[in-house]
Amino acid sequence: MSKRISVLSVPIDCMTMKETISRIVNLTKEPGLHIVATANAEMVMLAIQNPVLHGILNAASLVVPDGAGILWAAERIGEKVPERVTGVDITKELFGIASIENLPIYCLGAAPGVAERAVKNLESQFGSVPLAGIHDGFFDESEELRIIEEIKTSKAKLVFVALGVPKQEQWIAEKLSSLDGVVAIGIGGTFDVLAGNIPRAPKWMQENRLEWLYRLYLEPQRIGRMLAIPKFIWTVIKNK
Ligand code: UDP
């Protein structure tokens, strides 16, 4: 069992990428729905103000440290998180082993055509995967019922949900709770990255915890949302 620490009252599992993947594979063999969340500073700040999101994260099977801010905050309280475990990397790794482990994948979210492009790129890298279904993230209520039914009947074992935080976590907890032996992972903008719509930051920026800065350079309109980062830093310092 991994160590679970608390960053501003939000649980974070201290696991390497490798441990995370093996845990996710094992969870698909355990009863119930298993929620995996990928936490960054923005998610923590939202959770502090959103009791529903906070409750979902507390009950999640795994909350992995996606953002560099989480590693920094952990260090401040004398804890060691081994490495960043990002939604993009989890998705890639799981696509890499899905056919070997026989884990059908359902992809939900992003603009029409984006998840399809992401899957195509992943398959050209890792070979074909058992695909249970794909749907974009913009649907009405009747379409939503069809999607939920499709996820259930397709026998998907891994459900990637890219609807943004906190919508994706709430959607998973609310709509997929009756699933059994299924892992559902909230992956934010991962399909956009894997489809090639948003380039990943250069390696040196990732290694120096500057991926957020690159994201801001690409999408300056994110500035409002990104104010969560200095607020997070300030709250962590104040809480010491
Ligand atoms: N999205 C969606 N349906 C919605 C709202 C958002 O499919 O109703 C998608 C959006 O197209 C994008 C992703 O959710 O692909 C959210 O990406 P973002 O980078 O904002 O994720 P976060 O920063 O929350 O991880």
Side-chain angles (χ1 to χ4, degrees), residues 38 40 42 108-111 114 136-139 162-168 187-192 198 215 219 222 225:
T38 53
N40 57 15
E42 200 183 333
L108 175 66
V114 173
D136 65 74
F138 299 88
F139 43 80
L163 302 174
V165 180
K167 190 173 176 184
Q168 60 199 18
I187 55 167
T190 291
F191 290 141
D192 297 294
I198 299 173
R215 201 73 199 268
E219 299 171 80
R222 289 174 86 93
R225 288 174 53 181

Side-chain angles (χ1 to χ4, degrees), residues 156-167:
K157 282 280 171 190
L158 300 171
V159 185
F160 293 97
V161 185
L163 302 174
V165 180
K167 190 173 176 184

Side-chain angles (χ1 to χ4, degrees), residues 102-105 132 149-158 181-182:
N102 191 23
L103 300 171
I105 289 176
E149 201 44 42
E150 191 176 49
I151 294 174
K152 282 183 187 159
T153 53
S154 67
K155 301 267 188 292
K157 282 280 171 190
L158 300 171
V182 173

